[in-house]
Amino acid sequence: MGRWRWRVPRPLGPLLALVLMGIVNSCDGGLTSSFVRKVEKTIDMPLDSDVFRVPPGYNAPQQVHITQGDQDGTAMIISWVTEDEPGSSKVLYGTDEDKLDLSAEGKYTRYKFYNYTSGYIHHCEIKNLKHDTKYYYAVGIGHTVRKFWFTTPPEVGPDVPYTFGLIGDLGQSYDSNITLTHYESNPRGQAVLFVGDLSYADNYPFHDNVRWDTWGRFVERSAAYQPWIWTAGNHEIDYVPDIGETVPFKPYRHRYHVPYKSSGSIAPFWYSVKMGSAHVIVLASYSAYGKYSPQYKWLEAEFPKVDRSKTPWLIVLMHAPWYNSYNYHYMEGESMRVIYESWFVKYKVDVVFAGHVHAYERSYRVSNIAYNIVNGKCEPVPDESAPVYITIGDAGNLEGLATNMTEPQPSYSAFRESSFGHAIFDIKNRTHAYYTWHRNQDGNAVAADSMWFYNRYWKAAEEISDM
Ligand SMILES: [Fe+2]
């Protein structure tokens, strides 16, 4: 068959080109990346993988991880698991590697889940730490002792540089391992903002909690050395009445403690921490958030407490995204958006990070808050007071990539790509932060997407003072 060719009469060529350019430009959506990846099935690493290795020695502490223990970064919660017997819940720590002259006593817990019984899960909060200081710590006192270290965040202040890593929906596949290795090779991250869906143990028969243990051992190589700020996702719910498991979030609550009480929260699913020049609010997509709910009341009281003269950067984490143009989990965050979005605009949130969708997307600054039930104004519009919404649920769990997108790209979507990766949010001072997204196929120096963030609060103040 001959190839069909459309010949344009010569005088009409430039005109047609202009018309076509007009068509292309008339679509307000941003860029859908043309990056071509090798599509392979995402497979979990087998149980005998080296990344899941149980540390040697009797009752050796495993699954060691840390998170900030208070509002302003002078405390750290150290958590670990022992398998043979409870052993000690004590942490020895200090600034001299050879002389751990401070100690704190923690507690241990354990739980049963169907036919699984957990190890002894220890949590110990160490307090009164100096800011911006490297601490060494030891756990497993009395049996096999293991040592680690971390650096506390600098004292909270408006121009304090601080760099966050962003990881979501990690799981424990070969791709998860590539993502974590890629993040570790990126030397800038000082703490991880984790946007939910940790182990994906619930994808196994009877939510095989052995996969919670393997996941804990897998992430220890990062999570024992820098605080990971936890957000609960749907894979943390573990609600399975068929097998008698009717307490939601049971494994997650036992294993991952967060400092919710220090921000006046009544539950570990919504809370806040301050790190450097950032105020980070963690929200719960799978806890009640409607009007009068505890989360609603907490957030209503929390936003006015944010002092942008001390923490200029206002970051919100949640699991289900509000602005998502993939055909996966489409509009699952909509009801929360309807309830909370006007606050985000009023209080000028700088950026919202979410997961859940296994791909990457960044929005323009948009809001959709003009609608009332009679005016019909129900489309996102550009809004300089609105946050940028970033979906970063692309760390590579066994469920694979979300590849199917709504077409054409909606006007609120600035950049989207269906690849695994992580991101870095690098705060320079009160006005500027540099954000980069790194797909796994590139070296860590390569940013597949990037953006300079101009702080919503201080940008406005500068603009006013310039007038
Ligand atoms: Fe999810």
Side-chain angles (χ1 to χ4, degrees):
M1 289 199 334
R3 188 177 290 175
W4 182 81
R5 299 185 86 173
W6 183 30
R7 290 189 183 277
V8 180
R10 207 168 264 265
L12 291 177
L15 179 64
L16 183 66
L18 283 172
V19 169
L20 286 173
M21 282 169 65
I23 290 167
V24 170
N25 289 334
S26 71
C27 173
D28 289 329
L31 186 70
T32 297
S33 171
S34 58
F35 179 79
V36 178
R37 74 205 59 77
K38 211 168 133 194
V39 178
E40 288 171 309
K41 193 166 165 28
T42 309
I43 302 167
D44 265 355
M45 295 179 283
L47 292 174
D48 60 356
S49 301
D50 57 354
V51 297
F52 299 148
R53 193 166 39 215
V54 175
Y58 178 75
N59 213 32
Q62 56 168 279
Q63 307 176 48
V64 182
H65 54 92
I66 64 172
T67 195
Q68 186 158 307
D70 64 355
Q71 272 274 286
D72 64 358
T74 57
M76 203 68 83
I77 299 169
I78 316 281
S79 305
W80 70 97
V81 176
T82 52
E83 287 289 350
D84 301 312
E85 60 173 283
S88 172
S89 295
K90 182 181 283 190
V91 173
L92 299 180
Y93 63 103
T95 52
D96 181 343
E97 186 176 6
D98 301 318
K99 194 169 133 228
L100 303 181
D101 50 356
L102 300 166
S103 74
E105 198 64 50
K107 286 182 178 169
Y108 73 86
T109 183
R110 65 192 318 204
Y111 69 92
K112 287 182 189 297
F113 193 95
Y114 188 53
N115 59 2
Y116 166 94
T117 302
S118 75
Y120 305 92
I121 304 166
H122 304 255
H123 301 284
C124 179
E125 186 179 349
I126 57 177
K127 300 177 184 173
N128 303 315
L129 304 174
K130 290 187 210 121
H131 283 291
D132 205 11
T133 301
K134 186 171 185 179
Y135 282 90
Y136 299 87
Y137 68 97
V139 290
I141 311 306
H143 293 125
T144 302
V145 176
R146 296 181 68 206
K147 275 190 192 174
F148 305 87
W149 63 86
F150 61 82
T151 301
T152 49
E155 188 171 359
V156 167
D159 287 304
V160 176
Y162 201 71
T163 305
F164 294 105
L166 277 308
I167 300 175
D169 302 64
L170 181 56
Q172 45 195 301
S173 74
Y174 290 101
D175 290 300
S176 321
N177 195 28
I178 292 168
T179 303
L180 187 57
T181 304
H182 201 202
Y183 171 66
E184 289 174 297
S185 74
N186 201 326
R188 294 178 296 157
Q190 294 172 277
V192 169
L193 302 178
F194 190 87
V195 292
D197 283 359
L198 285 65
S199 73
Y200 287 75
D202 60 346
N203 278 357
Y204 286 81
F206 310 115
H207 292 219
D208 185 359
N209 274 227
V210 167
R211 281 289 177 175
W212 273 106
D213 291 316
T214 53
W215 194 82
R217 296 197 290 272
F218 163 50
V219 299
E220 179 190 277
R221 67 192 204 226
S222 174
Y225 297 93
Q226 56 177 247
W228 283 41
I229 304 301
W230 302 108
T231 311
N234 54 304
H235 286 279
E236 278 67 74
I237 298 173
D238 282 316
Y239 174 76
V240 207
D242 305 358
I243 57 172
E245 290 302 338
T246 55
V247 179
F249 299 103
K250 191 203 276 183
Y252 177 71
R253 281 193 81 151
H254 279 83
R255 292 168 182 274
Y256 293 91
H257 280 194
V258 299
Y260 65 97
K261 288 179 186 162
S262 69
S263 57
S265 170
I266 60 150
F269 312 114
W270 59 91
Y271 64 100
S272 71
V273 289
K274 296 172 203 168
M275 302 178 90
S277 49
H279 190 118
V280 180
I281 292 177
V282 179
L283 293 183
S285 299
Y286 307 101
S287 302
Y289 46 76
K291 199 162 185 178
Y292 315 120
S293 67
Q295 182 171 200
Y296 180 99
K297 287 200 236 173
W298 177 84
L299 186 59
E300 187 178 35
E302 174 72 5
F303 271 129
K305 289 184 197 162
V306 179
D307 182 349
R308 305 295 276 271
S309 70
K310 294 197 173 89
T311 51
W313 293 94
L314 181 48
I315 298 170
V316 178
L317 312 182
M318 61 181 65
H319 186 62
W322 291 357
Y323 287 94
N324 157 39
S325 71
Y326 288 84
N327 288 320
Y328 298 79
H329 306 302
Y330 187 60
M331 290 183 79
E332 284 183 20
E334 185 65 4
S335 50
M336 185 190 251
R337 182 193 69 73
V338 169
I339 297 168
Y340 289 160
E341 189 179 15
S342 58
W343 289 347
F344 281 41
V345 176
K346 177 181 176 186
Y347 292 102
K348 297 181 188 296
V349 172
D350 288 291
V351 58
V352 176
F353 293 108
H356 202 35
V357 178
H358 301 159
Y360 174 71
E361 185 165 21
R362 172 173 59 82
S363 80
Y364 293 113
R365 291 194 182 281
V366 291
S367 70
N368 189 358
I369 55 176
Y371 177 70
N372 64 40
I373 206 153
V374 293
N375 67 10
K377 295 179 180 173
C378 54
E379 288 194 5
V381 293
D383 188 336
E384 284 296 300
S385 294
V388 170
Y389 294 88
I390 291 173
T391 303
I392 184 93
D394 59 349
N397 62 73
L398 78 169
E399 293 178 353
L401 272 172
T403 51
N404 195 314
M405 306 169 184
T406 60
E407 299 290 354
Q409 187 168 7
S411 58
Y412 61 75
S413 176
F415 181 90
R416 57 185 187 173
E417 180 178 318
S418 178
S419 292
F420 294 133
H422 73 276
I424 298 283
F425 193 76
D426 188 356
I427 297 172
K428 307 290 188 188
N429 53 36
R430 78 183 67 192
T431 54
H432 288 70
Y434 190 56
Y435 167 79
T436 50
W437 174 66
H438 303 265
R439 72 165 78 87
N440 282 357
Q441 288 86 347
D442 301 327
N444 69 50
V446 177
D449 182 38
S450 63
M451 174 180 168
W452 274 103
F453 274 74
Y454 303 101
N455 185 275
R456 289 302 94 188
Y457 179 86
W458 286 99
K459 174 181 176 287
E462 279 186 343
E463 282 173 355
I464 290 164
S465 67
D466 285 348
M467 284 170 72

